[in-house]
Amino acid sequence: MKSRIASGLTILILGLLISLGPQFLFKPCGPVLAHDGAAASWMKCHWSVRAEIGVGALAAALGIGLLAFRSRDTRLGLWAGVFLSGVLALLIPHVLIGGCAMATMPCQALTFPALTLLGILVALFSGGNLFFHFRRVRG
Amino acid sequence: MSQSGYSLSAGRLSWENLRRRPFRTACLVIVVFILAFTLFGGSLLAASLQKGLQSMAKRFGADLMVVPAGYGEKAEGVLLRGEPSFFYFDGALAAQLAEMEGVLQASPQCFLTSLSTECCDAPVQLIAFDPATDFVIQPWIAEDRQNGRLGGRPEGGLGEGQLVVGSRIDIRSNGTVQLYNHEYPVAAQLSETATGFDTTIFMTRRTMDLLKEAAHREGFGFIADGEPEGSVSAVLVKAGGNVNPNSLAQAIKRNHQNVDVLVSQGILAAIAEALEGFVAYINSFSIILWIVAVVVLMAVVSGSLNERKKEFAILRILGAPRKKLVRLVLTESSLTGLAGSLAGLGAAALLIFPFNTYLSLKIGLPYIRPGAGGLLVLGLVSLALSFAAGPLAAISSAVRISRAETYWTLREGE
């Protein structure tokens, strides 16, 4: 009971951090401004962060599922979903979309490292639970 | 062999003891975790800062940087943090400084900035040097080439239209960088310096003139367009062997009222002073934490062994020699030490490696992470120190418990 709530809450919080962290806590680069000061275009990191909103929300929803469902088979499926969303959270900034070119830009210096850390935590935590549940369901 | 089918070895007993007391085990692991995290994290930070300062001192090259009056701070921003800037004064000053007594070499440089939307997603500093007099950039390229860092890049000097870029400049897959809507081939990417040079693009004066011409054709204008022909942004000066750079800077200021002079020794000394304080703080904090961790572990182990006196007395009655009791306690503390150390090292790596650049920007000091060999040494030393804290704290209690009289221990409390 306790571990079910703790693990569900952990994934819910990590998912919300992936989704909302870049919007409020570790913001990416701003828009490129035109001569009149208006936002002329957005850089790649903006779209990476937009995609992370969806991935983080998915992880958070799966976390709510982990809080709600007790069935071992269902939880096995939920953990598999969480694991894949963690991997996706890692791939978006580093492989699938990417970010600004220079390492000193805010997205490369802070936003992506924070998303990397959160993605690794989600993948490790869910990977461990997936392994544990898989053994229990199979064995 | 016991009836359950496995040997009652010290390892097996220790493992079962730890598994059946999860709270106590967790407390012991957490103490070592904090110790390992701090030791590895702290030593990694200190080593990165020291490497950064060494690299910076090596790459400054010039003793003095002469810039237009009022632009000293901006020039320091270009030099240390790569903050793009441009300012100009009369180029004839370079020749005048070269003739001055005490000056060994003087070389002019000209600054421009790139547009934000191309090349690197942010404006970067463009610096043009004079190949005939340069004594900073070209020796650096030669050294990197000698060290094999430039791969298959072409030999010889920098060709017309070619660029040399800092370590943090993103090169396109076709080996070019786009500036003002034109692509320029990159002849070399320089090694990391932890200075503003990492986000700088270097070229010869001729290439900068070509770049400006191409940009004019695209409709771009520059502040420098209004400046007289041959204007420069800075003159780098190397002082003669016995000349004090500070005295030379004063002499230059006396002769030329309209300039600021940056003394690289002064900049480096200020950074070294800040770094020294920071590293001393990390080192003393690590030593104090190590002592505190050993004392805390001693208290926890001693308390827990006192509670388990009867368990050890029973083991003695079952035939376990005194040495086995000592081994049992040391194995338990070694297992918790190893788990805490590995977790602490992993957590520190997970936190520090991805945030490398952010840390260096926040600390405001030159920061270069050590290479694989250096990291391995730091990791092993931190692992050994944090791991040793467990057995070291347990040894006296282990010896004490093994010497206790079995009969009286069992009768205690009756």
Side-chain angles (χ1 to χ4, degrees), chain A residues 32-33 41 43 99-105 108-110 113-114 116-117 120-121 124, chain B residues 116-117 119-124 168-170 199 350-351 354-359 361:
Chain A
V32 177
L33 300 177
S41 64
M43 289 177 280
C100 295
M102 212 156 56
T104 45
M105 298 287 282
Q108 294 285 6
L110 181 63
T116 305
L117 181 64
I120 289 174
L121 287 178
L124 283 180
Chain B
S116 58
T117 48
C119 158
C120 312
D121 294 327
V124 294
R168 285 178 171 172
I169 297 289
D170 194 50
T199 51
L350 200 61
L351 208 65
F355 290 96
N356 237 349
T357 311
Y358 183 72
L359 281 173
L361 293 175

Side-chain angles (χ1 to χ4, degrees), chain B residues 15-225:
Chain B
W15 174 251
E16 291 299 326
N17 274 326
L18 293 173
R19 209 168 61 88
R20 284 168 198 281
R21 292 180 177 84
F23 183 73
R24 194 197 71 202
T25 306
C27 288
L28 291 171
V29 169
I30 287 169
V31 172
V32 183
F33 170 89
I34 295 170
L35 181 63
F37 182 90
T38 314
L39 283 179
F40 185 55
S43 58
L44 184 58
L45 273 180
S48 303
L49 291 170
Q50 273 161 343
K51 193 174 176 194
L53 183 68
Q54 280 166 8
S55 166
M56 183 181 257
K58 199 171 152 196
R59 286 297 158 227
F60 258 30
D63 294 314
L64 307 175
M65 187 180 191
V66 184
V67 296
Y71 287 95
E73 224 167 89
K74 284 199 168 183
E76 209 172 300
V78 172
L79 215 56
L80 298 180
R81 298 176 291 278
E83 290 166 1
S85 197
F86 46 83
F87 35 81
Y88 304 98
F89 60 2
D90 186 5
L93 184 72
Q96 290 168 20
L97 288 175
E99 297 297 318
M100 214 176 137
E101 199 184 328
V103 172
L104 192 65
Q105 283 170 296
S107 181
Q109 290 192 336
C110 194
F111 297 173
L112 272 187
T113 63
S114 73
L115 295 176
S116 58
T117 48
E118 55 190 9
C119 158
C120 312
D121 294 327
V124 294
Q125 186 71 54
L126 310 179
I127 296 183
F129 59 90
D130 174 13
T133 56
D134 171 63
F135 57 93
V136 175
I137 313 300
Q138 291 175 127
W140 182 10
I141 298 172
E143 193 185 315
D144 271 8
R145 182 172 283 134
Q146 210 172 6
N147 293 338
R149 288 204 191 97
L150 302 183
R153 301 290 182 199
E155 292 288 326
L158 200 56
E160 195 173 286
Q162 287 186 327
L163 309 176
V164 174
V165 302
S167 62
R168 285 178 171 172
I169 297 289
D170 194 50
I171 305 171
R172 290 180 163 199
S173 53
N174 62 358
T176 63
V177 165
Q178 184 176 332
L179 295 168
Y180 296 98
N181 290 348
H182 281 265
E183 283 187 345
Y184 294 89
V186 174
Q189 183 158 34
L190 298 165
S191 53
E192 199 177 3
T193 62
T195 67
F197 293 156
D198 291 340
T199 51
T200 299
I201 297 177
F202 298 96
M203 61 195 80
T204 60
R205 188 65 198 247
R206 171 76 188 132
T207 301
M208 185 172 273
D209 290 340
L210 291 174
L211 182 146
K212 277 160 64 175
E213 276 172 37
H216 285 146
R217 285 197 297 274
E218 296 285 336
F220 295 105
F222 300 95
I223 301 278
D225 293 342

Side-chain angles (χ1 to χ4, degrees), chain A residues 35-127:
Chain A
H35 290 301
D36 58 2
S41 64
W42 290 97
M43 289 177 280
K44 270 202 291 186
C45 61
H46 171 76
W47 307 111
S48 276
V49 162
R50 287 281 282 266
E52 293 283 9
I53 294 177
V55 176
L58 173 67
L62 292 169
I64 294 172
L66 286 167
L67 284 171
F69 294 104
R70 289 160 196 268
S71 150
R72 282 182 184 175
D73 286 334
T74 310
R75 292 176 70 76
L76 183 66
L78 289 171
W79 279 120
V82 174
F83 177 74
L84 290 176
S85 61
V87 173
L88 200 55
L90 277 173
L91 289 178
I92 284 172
H94 296 291
V95 181
L96 297 176
I97 299 178
C100 295
M102 212 156 56
T104 45
M105 298 287 282
C107 67
Q108 294 285 6
L110 181 63
T111 315
F112 288 179
L115 287 171
T116 305
L117 181 64
L118 291 169
I120 289 174
L121 287 178
V122 169
L124 283 180
F125 187 60
S126 58

